[in-house]
Amino acid sequence: MTWQETHQQGVFSRSIGENETFIKLVGDAGLPLKREHWAINSAATIVPTGTFVSSDLGAHFRLAWAHLCFQHPSIAVEVAADDTKFIYTVPADGAALETWVSRTFSVATGANSSADVIPTFQPTPYAKLVYIPRSGELLGHTAHWRTDGIGVLLLLDALLALACASSTLADPASLAWGTEIVRLAPAVEEAAAIPKESTPELKERGAALVGTFSHAVGAIGIPYLGDAATLPTGTRSVALRFSEATTEKVVAACKARCISVTAAVHASVAGANYALAHAASRGKHYASTIRFALRPYLPDPYSTPAFAAGLYTTGWIKRVESRASWTERLKAYQDEYRKGITRDFLDSHREYAAQLAELIRNLPQSGDQPPSDVDISSIGIADKMIRRSYGTSDAGFAVNAISVGVEILSQQAVTFVWTFRDQLNLSAVYNESFHSADQMSQFVSAVRSQLLEGLGVQD
């Protein structure tokens, strides 16, 4: 599964890993509609300082993007024609590099914000970067098989560090292209040294994890628009940001209870699903994802920002019952998050992902109502991945806000959660064919109310 040069000079390939295969199968479901389920969108809202105020920022970011490809060549990896391998082609010369940059970097002068651009995205072989001058946003877009929610912020961090030093950057064509292949990201199975050969014990552990996905059957969901014939259109989001003062109270209340903010928000997302569900559905259980970044559990250098462009994440499904109180749900989620990731779990992950891929390939056709729950994905403290400022007050950037989300093509939605600049953020990401902005605004407001009430925090 390591990168090897093919019979073509300067062209390298490796097999797609099991975890990447699973995520890619999920994404590929949207290809007939010229969409890509779970493709990741990440944005940083920047404000230039000093001499950068009057600079051509588009040129700064374009140059930085070319250098980022040298630092993180996996942003230029594509899927081979046989759909079983990843391919990376070393730029043969400056013209080849310029062609790649022109295909992947753009300035959206006509857009008001990322909300105008995200619904227009279609599947692309490489990662993309869009600069939106009116909103000051840098918007990254990539297939999920390439990286994860932590990785995209680390990539934005590296990009901004390069951009604020653009006056000292060399012509990217003059870089030692060909040496960057040592930085091509391996699959998590290789990075974590997961056993290549399965055993009955590993198969059993993998099957137990896959079995958690059965909780999705018969679970509660919120009302949605359309019917079985309704096709997805653009991905939208509704955001809610807590004040610094309220965030401080939330964090203090969680610390006093020895719980994580993620677990508390998770319990609140569960509660919001019940609050918005039809009354007749409120006796159903709620199923959602317990997500973990695998990066902290990998050896160096794969645990470091040097391998930001790698898919190093996992998760499983947790069920809570309708009769459970907010406090009982909180305990259930906190117990799950406290488990962490063990060596036994890592060793079984190849088998787990392979079985998940088989499940996706063989999903039965069902006449039942499609799942329409709102799940959760917590990024954590984003300041650990992306800085609040770059360069200096004389020449640099302040980062006022960040966001992370995924493309959604189903009736389900996801609430992304992160803290940045001491403010807790919620962002409900959904498809506009199935949910309205008003409904999702009600949802994030319900999450906020449940969180503050559950923790006993006065706003």
Side-chain angles (χ1 to χ4, degrees):
M1 205 180 283
T2 55
W3 290 93
Q4 300 288 340
E5 191 165 19
T6 67
H7 64 280
Q8 294 179 268
Q9 185 177 1
V11 178
F12 293 77
S13 76
R14 70 162 170 85
S15 296
I16 302 176
E18 285 82 357
N19 203 38
E20 294 161 337
T21 295
F22 159 60
I23 296 293
K24 183 176 177 299
L25 281 168
V26 173
D28 287 356
L31 296 184
L33 300 173
K34 294 186 177 180
R35 303 277 181 177
E36 190 169 13
H37 197 41
W38 284 7
I40 308 179
N41 300 309
S42 54
T45 303
I46 59 100
V47 177
T49 58
T51 58
F52 279 12
V53 172
S54 57
S55 294
D56 181 353
L57 295 185
H60 281 287
F61 297 135
R62 197 177 200 278
L63 177 63
W65 181 243
H67 276 261
L68 189 72
C69 185
F70 186 72
Q71 286 188 2
H72 296 275
S74 290
I75 65 174
V77 164
E78 58 186 313
V79 179
D82 68 2
D83 224 30
T84 66
K85 291 183 173 62
F86 289 144
I87 298 288
Y88 173 72
T89 302
V90 176
D93 50 31
L97 178 62
E98 176 61 27
T99 297
W100 180 83
V101 172
S102 295
R103 288 184 66 183
T104 57
F105 176 81
S106 61
V107 179
T109 54
N112 289 318
S113 72
S114 58
D116 293 336
V117 179
I118 289 172
T120 71
F121 280 136
Q122 294 188 349
T124 172
Y126 314 111
K128 295 182 71 170
L129 181 70
V130 182
Y131 172 51
I132 308 167
R134 289 183 188 174
S135 61
E137 288 176 285
L138 276 170
L139 173 62
H141 178 79
T142 176
H144 199 346
W145 54 254
R146 192 187 311 277
T147 186
D148 47 51
I150 305 297
V152 292
L153 291 182
L154 293 172
L155 287 170
L156 281 174
D157 173 69
L159 179 90
L160 286 165
L162 287 164
C164 75
S166 56
S167 62
T168 64
L169 294 179
D171 177 353
S174 70
L175 298 173
W177 292 99
T179 62
E180 79 279 9
I181 60 167
V182 298
R183 295 186 288 278
L184 288 167
V188 70
E189 292 82 12
E190 180 183 343
I194 296 171
K196 291 182 172 61
E197 300 298 324
S198 191
T199 66
E201 183 182 8
L202 294 177
K203 287 181 183 293
E204 184 178 351
R205 285 191 213 144
L209 289 163
V210 171
T212 66
F213 282 74
S214 66
H215 295 317
V217 178
I220 196 171
I222 66 172
Y224 59 89
L225 304 171
D227 54 28
T230 304
L231 295 177
T233 48
T235 295
R236 299 286 181 181
S237 63
V238 171
L240 187 156
R241 184 180 301 161
F242 291 62
S243 68
E244 287 186 37
T246 302
T247 300
E248 184 178 10
K249 291 177 184 177
V250 167
V251 172
C254 288
K255 285 182 178 177
R257 290 165 174 77
C258 298
I259 58 170
S260 69
V261 172
T262 295
V265 175
H266 202 152
S268 305
V269 169
N273 273 268
Y274 282 101
L276 268 70
H278 286 306
S281 300
R282 290 177 186 160
K284 297 180 178 181
H285 67 275
Y286 170 65
S288 58
T289 311
I290 301 292
R291 288 184 169 86
F292 272 96
L294 290 176
R295 296 173 187 273
Y297 303 92
L298 300 179
D300 286 349
Y302 310 118
S303 60
T304 72
F307 284 86
L311 178 65
Y312 303 139
T313 186
T314 190
W316 58 89
I317 305 298
K318 175 67 178 176
R319 168 180 177 149
V320 293
E321 303 304 323
S322 60
R323 62 181 177 274
S325 66
W326 184 89
T327 302
E328 289 168 334
R329 291 173 190 146
L330 170 63
K331 183 181 184 306
Y333 293 133
Q334 184 63 30
D335 288 348
E336 287 292 305
Y337 289 120
R338 275 203 179 112
K339 288 179 181 176
I341 299 297
T342 65
R343 185 66 236 183
D344 282 349
F345 178 92
L346 278 177
D347 285 345
S348 62
H349 205 274
R350 187 191 300 271
E351 186 64 45
Y352 174 33
Q355 291 186 32
L356 272 180
E358 281 304 299
L359 179 68
I360 296 294
R361 292 187 184 102
N362 298 288
L363 282 175
Q365 295 296 319
S366 173
D368 296 337
Q369 293 284 335
S372 62
D373 58 274
V374 183
D375 204 347
I376 181 173
S377 182
S378 178
I379 303 300
I381 302 172
D383 308 68
K384 292 181 178 179
M385 299 144 232
I386 184 167
R387 284 167 270 174
R388 299 181 182 188
S389 63
Y390 295 81
T392 67
S393 58
D394 294 329
F397 305 103
V399 180
N400 281 2
I402 64 98
S403 67
V404 178
V406 293
E407 297 285 301
I408 298 287
L409 302 184
S410 70
Q411 291 84 352
Q412 292 172 295
V414 182
T415 301
F416 282 82
V417 186
W418 67 88
T419 303
F420 185 64
R421 287 186 168 269
D422 301 318
Q423 291 181 276
L424 181 62
N425 290 260
L426 306 175
S427 178
V429 181
Y430 62 97
N431 193 280
E432 62 186 348
S433 284
F434 305 117
H435 300 284
S436 68
D438 283 347
Q439 183 194 32
M440 299 316 291
S441 292
Q442 290 175 39
F443 188 88
V444 292
S445 292
V447 175
R448 184 182 190 279
S449 297
Q450 295 241 351
L451 178 66
L452 298 184
E453 181 181 344
L455 292 173
V457 169
Q458 297 295 317
D459 195 6

